[in-house]
């Protein structure tokens, strides 16, 4: 028997057809107006036939003034509802669910394409790179702005429900805004949003409650949460487990575990020696979390062989196997795992030899593979890193030019 073929019943009664999920990856495939494109939708049509029980989209931004990538989809009103419905219907006729991951980047908004960076506290990214080239100090969010962002999460969620996505995932990991509020390193506020863990977790709790208020009890809501930030003075493993308890009590339907930030990108390949044989980056942590919650757990990062995936679910260490980058290279991966027709899914990106460029290949090389899928092409393990880099550079330049000529837009539409 292959335990990965088993159904998963979520707390609200929704059933996932098996234990394989495509975790969120940045697709960077919107058009210039940040709407879903045929290429993006076609990529999900390919994945809908992959055999996975759950597909989670890449970042959907809740605010056009806070964007992580030049071609992120933005949902802040109903202007692109028709395209969103086409995206949601990409899984039509399959047993696969499509959840929309929604996000605000906070200080991790890409500086080159965002005029203002906003964050819980005025603490810049320590490292330079594609997210923040000048270590610019972000502006501190006011109480009013915090409440507006919480409302925006709910607003985006209800629009995506209307578009008929199967569920919502809050991005609460990898150093984005929710993660920034949780971390004592990035949140040094002295009001009700900072200080104690109760205060620092208030933002994510209020975001969850607002979304639940808008979408109702029967609509799945999940979260991607850091096991730890892997930064001195940051969000710790012990605090993460307390947040798991809090969100479980609130009634969240699925908790996906990851870890790291853009300053300490552990989610992109670093593992403790003790976990290498078991592949997954955060397996030690999730075994501890399994003891404190009955909420379904999904673990993403490092899974590459079918046998290890089966063992993880069979031993009840976790409920859902989250896989990201291999989905961009092996589009039929779910079926391959469930049928055991392929036993490993190793991916190796191509590099330029230039350290400053190769760091971003962990994301943009896979974005290019997803684009090939959406264009009806086969994925290409030999895809040139230099061609990927120059195409990405052009996207940034193009977005910057568009931003200079951008006219003011009406304030976001609320419920």
């Amino acid at each position: 028997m292959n335990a990965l073929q088993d159904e998963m019943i979520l707390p609200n009664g929704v059933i996932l057809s098996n234990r394989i999920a495509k975790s969120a990856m940045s697709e960077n495939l919107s058009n210039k107006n940040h709407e879903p494109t045929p290429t993006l939708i076609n990529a999900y049509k390919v994945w809908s036939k992959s055999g996975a029980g759950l597909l989670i989209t890449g970042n959907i931004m809740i605010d056009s003034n806070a964007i992580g990538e030049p071609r992120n989809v933005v949902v802040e009103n109903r202007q692109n509802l028709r395209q969103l419905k086409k995206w949601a219907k990409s899984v039509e006729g399959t047993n696969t669910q499509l959840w929309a991951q929604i996000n605000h980047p906070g200080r991790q908004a890409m500086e080159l394409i965002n005029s203002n960076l906003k964050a819980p506290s005025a603490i810049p990214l320590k490292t330079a790179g594609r997210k923040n080239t000048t270590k610019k100090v972000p502006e501190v969010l006011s109480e009013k702005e915090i409440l507006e962002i919480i409302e925006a999460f709910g607003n985006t969620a209800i629009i995506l429900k209307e578009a008929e996505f199967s569920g919502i995932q809050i991005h609460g990991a990898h150093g984005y805004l929710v993660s920034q509020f949780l971390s004592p390193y990035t949140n040094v506020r002295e009001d009700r949003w900072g200080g104690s863990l109760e205060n620092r977790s208030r933002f994510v709790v209020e975001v969850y409650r607002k979304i639940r208020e808008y979408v109702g009890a029967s609509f799945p809501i999940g979260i991607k949460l850091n096991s730890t930030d892997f930064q001195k003075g940051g969000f710790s493993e012990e605090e993460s487990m307390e947040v798991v308890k809090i969100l479980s009590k609130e009634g969240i339907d699925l908790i996906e575990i990851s870890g790291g930030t853009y300053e300490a990108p552990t989610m992109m390949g670093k593992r403790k020696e003790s976990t290498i044989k078991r592949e997954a980056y955060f397996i030690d942590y999730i075994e501890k979390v399994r003891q404190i919650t009955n909420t379904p757990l999904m673990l993403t990062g490092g899974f590459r062989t079918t046998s290890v995936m089966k063992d993880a679910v069979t031993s009840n260490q976790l409920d859902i196997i989250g896989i990201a980058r291999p989905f961009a290279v092996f589009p039929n991966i779910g079926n391959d795992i469930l049928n055991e027709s392929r036993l490993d899914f190793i991916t190796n990106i191509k590099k330029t030899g230039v350290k400053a460029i190769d760091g971003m290949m962990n994301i943009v090389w896979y974005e290019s593979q997803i684009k090939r899928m959406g264009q009806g092409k086969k994925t290409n393990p030999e895809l040139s890193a230099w061609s990927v880099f120059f195409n990405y550079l052009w996207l940034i330049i193009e977005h910057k030019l568009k931003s200079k000529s951008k006219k003011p837009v009406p304030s976001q539409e609320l419920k």
Side-chain angles (χ1 to χ4, degrees), residues 42-197:
N42 288 338
Y44 277 84
K45 286 181 179 178
V46 173
W47 278 329
S48 75
K49 299 177 177 64
S50 70
L54 174 63
L55 305 177
I56 302 176
T57 73
N59 284 331
I60 295 175
M61 296 297 165
I62 65 172
D63 184 350
S64 59
N65 293 312
I67 296 175
E69 302 281 347
R71 288 296 180 88
N72 282 146
V73 172
V74 177
V75 177
E76 58 184 353
N77 55 46
R78 290 170 173 78
Q79 291 179 1
N80 58 357
L81 190 60
R82 181 174 61 85
Q83 295 97 318
L84 290 171
K85 286 184 175 181
K86 288 183 178 180
W87 191 4
K89 287 183 178 180
S90 64
V91 296
E92 197 170 41
T94 72
N95 291 322
T96 299
Q97 290 198 21
L98 178 57
W99 291 16
Q101 185 190 76
I102 58 178
N103 190 16
H104 188 297
R107 70 178 191 147
Q108 280 186 178
M110 186 174 283
E111 184 190 343
L112 289 171
I113 59 176
N114 294 272
S115 56
N116 294 304
L117 304 181
K118 297 290 186 77
S121 301
I123 299 173
L125 287 170
K126 285 192 299 186
T127 54
R130 66 191 193 95
K131 283 291 184 182
N132 191 330
T133 56
T134 64
K135 303 182 185 179
K136 183 177 179 180
V137 178
E139 296 178 20
V140 177
L141 288 164
S142 67
E143 171 88 7
K144 179 175 181 290
E145 288 172 322
I146 291 171
L147 296 176
E148 288 173 347
I149 291 172
I150 292 169
E151 186 74 21
F153 269 101
N155 176 61
T156 297
I158 189 60
I159 294 171
L160 290 164
K161 181 184 179 184
E162 290 173 10
E164 300 181 7
F165 281 83
S166 313
I168 292 293
Q169 185 188 63
I170 303 162
H171 198 335
H174 299 172
Y176 290 106
L177 186 62
V178 171
S179 181
Q180 289 162 37
F181 268 98
L182 287 170
S183 173
Y185 172 74
T186 49
N187 181 356
V188 296
R189 301 176 71 97
E190 296 180 351
D191 59 5
R192 69 189 184 115
W193 304 100
S196 67
L197 180 60

Side-chain angles (χ1 to χ4, degrees), residues 381-400:
E382 303 302 318
L383 189 62
S384 164
W386 279 112
S387 67
V388 169
F389 169 69
F390 286 120
N391 286 333
Y392 186 74
L393 188 62
W394 170 245
L395 278 181
I396 294 174
I397 294 170
E398 187 180 46
H399 190 284
K400 194 68 176 177

Side-chain angles (χ1 to χ4, degrees), residues 32 398-409:
K32 295 178 183 179
E398 187 180 46
H399 190 284
K400 194 68 176 177
L401 292 172
K402 179 179 181 294
S403 297
K404 288 182 178 179
S405 60
K406 183 179 177 181
K407 296 180 181 179
V409 296

